[in-house]
Amino acid sequence: MQRVMLRAKLHRVTVTQADLNYEGSCGIDQDLLEAADIWVNEKIELYNVNNGERFSTYAIPGLRGSGEISLNGAAARRAHLGDLLIICTYASMTETQIADYKPKIVFVDENNKITGMKK
C-alpha cells in the first residue's frame, strides 16, 4: 500500500509579487527551492494563512537570494502582496519508506530568509 505523505514545506513565506498576465505558476527564490528540495516544475500546494484559500500550481525559479514568492496567472487572484503562505509538496510512499522518512520543513523570517530547518 502507498500513502501520500508531506515531502517538503516552506512555512509562512510572504507573497512578494503577483502578476495576472503571466502564464501561471509560483516563482520561488532558488535558495528556498533548494532548502526544501522542491524542483522546478514540481507541483506545489499553497495554503493562504490570511484568507484560507487553498490552491495548486507548479514551482518556477525566482531570483536567488531575493526572497521572491511570486504568484502568477490565476494564482495571483488567490493572495495579496504580504499574505502568508504555506507551500507544500507531497509524495507517494510505501510503509517501509515512511518508517524512516522525515519531511523537509523550512522556516523563514518576514523577508523570506531562512531562519531554520527541520528534517
Side-chain angles (χ1 to χ4, degrees):
M1 174 190 314
Q2 297 231 329
R3 297 179 186 265
V4 177
M5 305 296 291
L6 176 68
R7 196 184 64 70
K9 175 168 75 166
L10 295 170
H11 189 70
R12 295 176 69 94
V13 293
T14 301
V15 176
T16 61
Q17 299 173 45
D19 184 356
L20 281 171
N21 297 314
Y22 190 84
E23 67 185 49
S25 68
C26 178
I28 302 172
D29 178 327
Q30 290 180 51
D31 289 339
L32 296 173
L33 288 175
E34 289 173 7
D37 190 29
I38 297 172
W39 288 26
V40 172
N41 297 317
E42 184 173 359
K43 180 181 180 177
I44 54 176
E45 298 289 333
L46 300 95
Y47 312 119
N48 187 323
V49 174
N50 294 76
N51 65 20
E53 288 278 353
R54 300 168 77 88
F55 56 100
S56 61
T57 187
Y58 59 95
I60 61 171
L63 181 65
R64 182 178 300 282
S66 67
E68 176 183 340
I69 300 293
S70 62
L71 297 178
N72 303 306
R77 294 208 182 270
R78 300 290 184 198
H80 295 286
L81 296 180
D83 280 1
L84 296 176
L85 302 178
I86 297 169
I87 300 176
C88 298
T89 62
Y90 298 87
S92 295
M93 299 181 189
T94 65
E95 291 181 11
T96 303
Q97 291 169 315
I98 293 167
D100 295 324
Y101 186 77
K102 300 284 187 241
K104 293 182 180 179
I105 301 173
V106 179
F107 300 95
V108 300
D109 65 15
E110 63 278 356
N111 297 308
N112 295 331
K113 301 299 181 198
I114 297 169
T115 61
M117 295 180 60
K118 183 177 176 183
K119 180 178 175 189

